[in-house]
Amino acid sequence: QVQLLESGGGSVQAGGSLRLSCAASGPPARRPCMGWFRQAPGKDREGVARLYTYDERTYYADSVKGRFTISRDDANTLTLQMNSLKPEDTATYYCTADESWVCHSETRFLQTDFTYWGRGTQVTVSS
């Protein structure tokens, strides 16, 4: 069984930085497609960034390109470095994972495609 645990959320002023981590456990073959989603109050959950662990291909939402970087510290730790944070980045951030096919599309990045989810970590950016 795949389990995901996020850490690193917090409060920061606009322009600041935060680094989120996701500790993953369970069979690696069940979770090579990993990513981050976020959900602000009253809004739908949206994809932020995605990484395919077999070839390190990444995908970013337009809203975070150039500011956020998704990567891995090791085989079981996914990170999201968030720089130049804006108040509109305020949300609960969720780590997610699934099998390879979810990462095959260059543009499709939907929460309904992912099976495994962490409980989330809160990020608050004040102006």
Side-chain angles (χ1 to χ4, degrees), residues 44 67 71 77:
D44 292 336
R67 300 189 298 122
S71 63
T77 306

Side-chain angles (χ1 to χ4, degrees), residues 35-94:
W36 294 92
F37 280 72
R38 67 185 181 187
Q39 188 166 19
K43 294 189 176 181
D44 292 336
R45 193 172 296 188
E46 62 171 351
V48 174
R50 186 186 73 195
L51 182 146
Y52 186 45
T53 61
Y54 287 165
D55 62 12
E56 302 295 322
R57 272 184 297 132
T58 58
Y59 170 88
Y60 294 93
D62 288 342
S63 58
V64 305
K65 280 181 182 176
R67 300 189 298 122
F68 290 12
T69 302
I70 189 170
S71 63
R72 291 192 297 163
D73 280 352
D74 55 47
N76 297 315
T77 306
L78 184 74
T79 66
L80 185 68
Q81 178 66 42
M82 304 185 295
N83 298 329
S84 302
L85 281 162
K86 305 175 181 180
E88 51 263 44
D89 294 318
T90 295
T92 301
Y93 284 70
Y94 297 90

